Amino acid sequence: MLRRWAVLRSATAGAAALALAAAPAAPPARAAGPRSAALASDPVRDGVTPVLESLNVPRAWAASRGGGATVAVLDSGVDAGQADLAGSVTTGPDYTRGANPPGVAPKRLHGTNMASIIAGHGHGPGGAEGVVGVAPEARLLSLRVILERDEPGFAEFTGGGRYTGTIAQGIRYAADHGADVVNLSLGRSYPTPRERDAVAYAIGRNVVVVAAAGNSGAEDTPRGVGGRSAPPRGARRPGGGGSAEYFYPASFPGVISVAAVDARGLHAGFSNRNSGVVVSAPGVQIIGAGPDGRYWIGDGTSPATAFVSGVAALIRSRHRGLAPALVTQAIVASTGNRPARGYDRGVGFGRVDAAAALAASDTLAAARTGGAGLPAGKRFATGPVRPVQVVHRSGGLVLTYLLICALALLGLAGAAVLLRAGREPGE
């Protein structure tokens, strides 16, 4: 769900080069402040660091770096050999198998990019080169549930009925195989029952689900990414023409729907506006890793979602098993750059703040959640348990009461008519 890509550089090329894939991309915005020589020596790290600083991620690392948490990346696949991800990725099922012609390898660009933003750990001496993600010590579970648009099997994937449930399958697999967080940097402009049920299943199994709000905000017609571009027969598309009113799975209850903002924290024009948006994160000119040692710059709600999934991983690492609703509450209650009225359909409750979210999660995790009621089998009342007594009423008596009430109402109505008839004209 990246709107556009640009190759930043190849890790083996030595010098940075901008080879545009769709549109010119300006260098990433840089925040003011001191940088160490080690960070400044690598152009990729030098571009990644200001974005992390804007989210207070380096401060959050004093409390958590994501160790012990697992983030399931449901996407186009992750290159487990990419230098910034090596050793962190477990590869699960490929639910798109058979869509590409035989012998065609998965491209895995989008998925690798998202994975690096979530849990990249860098490479080189001291890990000072390449992409470092929000939760660099987290584990990643890669599930291939979509094809990228330029893969030869994309038309088969989007048109074949056999692939309509890949996202739902991936969500359920992640929930059953130890995921703490599910990252969905994908979606479509209409809901499906299978995905709704899969999301409910995951949340019911204590999994935090984070999804992209969508990139249709600046386009003439809504467009799904990573699924069908038009609803199947019998499905309803919400909102009609213009920008997509809602996006799914992001707009399902319980999902953290993420919008994109620019370097100033302002709503990115392409990012969908709807009342399902929960929070926002940077989504303009974001650097991430790709296969074959390349690094890419892109725009979209996809990287914004990956940032929030990384924050959720930090929280679940520090507070194992913290309920998804409390993880969401910690993220929402601690946002920065909050809208003037507290909430806005474009940016939700504001831009995520990793350090503040961890502090909020400490408070929520310490709250007393038990002991408010009585243990199972105990009652508030004293004495022996007596059966509930049912009072039986005579049917004839009930009918008599109804007739009396009806006669009384008729009498009142007649009296009103007589009073009105007895008035003088003009009275």
Side-chain angles (χ1 to χ4, degrees):
M1 198 184 299
L2 278 166
R3 297 179 66 248
R4 61 181 183 179
W5 293 98
V7 182
L8 175 62
R9 79 177 180 97
S10 169
T12 58
L18 292 179
L20 304 186
R30 302 190 178 192
R35 305 234 182 84
S36 69
L39 292 180
S41 64
D42 180 63
V44 172
R45 183 64 61 85
D46 198 40
V48 168
T49 300
V51 183
L52 296 179
E53 289 173 346
S54 74
L55 301 178
N56 274 329
V57 170
R59 284 183 53 204
W61 287 339
S64 173
R65 294 177 64 88
T70 297
V71 181
V73 181
L74 276 62
D75 214 291
S76 62
V78 176
D79 179 5
Q82 206 283 335
D84 300 333
L85 297 170
S88 298
V89 181
T90 298
T91 301
D94 178 0
Y95 293 106
T96 72
R97 187 180 300 277
N100 273 337
V104 175
K107 190 170 183 180
R108 300 180 300 180
L109 172 55
H110 192 273
T112 303
N113 198 273
M114 298 306 108
S116 70
I117 294 170
I118 296 168
H121 49 60
H123 68 275
E129 299 176 11
V131 173
V132 61
V134 177
E137 294 181 4
R139 295 286 308 171
L140 294 165
L141 171 61
S142 170
L143 300 171
R144 181 166 153 89
V145 298
I146 61 172
L147 265 65
E148 302 190 35
R149 291 184 179 275
D150 56 352
E151 291 191 62
F154 184 76
E156 168 67 20
F157 175 74
T158 56
R162 60 182 286 202
Y163 300 111
T164 57
T166 58
I167 296 173
Q169 289 176 286
I171 293 171
R172 288 180 177 272
Y173 183 94
D176 289 338
H177 290 80
D180 296 285
V181 181
V182 168
N183 182 84
L184 297 163
S185 291
L186 46 75
R188 53 168 68 88
S189 56
Y190 60 91
T192 72
R194 291 183 68 178
E195 288 178 12
R196 178 196 62 207
D197 293 344
V199 166
Y201 178 80
I203 295 173
R205 292 183 67 87
N206 208 34
V207 178
V208 181
V209 181
V210 188
N215 301 331
S216 302
E219 297 178 3
D220 294 331
T221 55
R223 181 177 60 179
V225 177
R228 295 171 179 266
S229 59
R233 183 176 300 174
R236 292 182 59 197
R237 183 197 293 275
S243 297
E245 187 172 337
Y246 291 100
F247 210 64
Y248 299 91
S251 294
F252 287 131
V255 178
I256 303 177
S257 176
V258 185
V261 294
D262 61 20
R264 299 169 296 170
L266 301 177
H267 175 262
F270 57 79
S271 183
N272 284 351
R273 294 177 179 269
N274 61 62
S275 58
V277 172
V278 177
V279 291
S280 50
V284 178
Q285 299 293 283
I286 304 302
I287 299 174
D292 304 321
R294 292 190 173 190
Y295 294 88
W296 298 75
I297 301 174
D299 298 343
T301 53
S302 282
T305 302
F307 283 120
V308 176
S309 289
V311 174
L314 295 179
I315 294 173
R316 290 301 288 268
S317 168
R318 183 166 173 81
H319 301 292
R320 301 296 301 162
L322 188 66
L326 295 182
V327 174
T328 302
Q329 176 64 18
I331 292 172
V332 167
S334 59
T335 53
N337 219 34
R338 295 179 76 91
R341 295 185 178 181
Y343 179 83
D344 178 85
R345 295 193 311 154
V347 299
F349 290 98
R351 183 177 58 192
V352 68
D353 183 313
L358 276 177
S361 73
D362 290 346
T363 301
L364 292 170
R368 181 171 172 263
T369 57
L374 294 176
K378 298 293 184 180
R379 302 183 306 113
F380 286 102
T382 59
V385 178
R386 296 185 177 88
V388 176
Q389 294 186 358
V390 178
V391 178
H392 295 280
R393 301 291 184 187
S394 167
L397 186 61
V398 171
L399 181 59
T400 301
Y401 287 151
L402 290 173
L403 289 173
I404 292 172
C405 291
L407 290 172
L409 289 172
L410 287 172
L412 289 173
V417 170
L418 290 174
L419 287 173
R420 184 175 184 83
R423 289 181 179 176
E424 295 292 335
E427 186 177 0

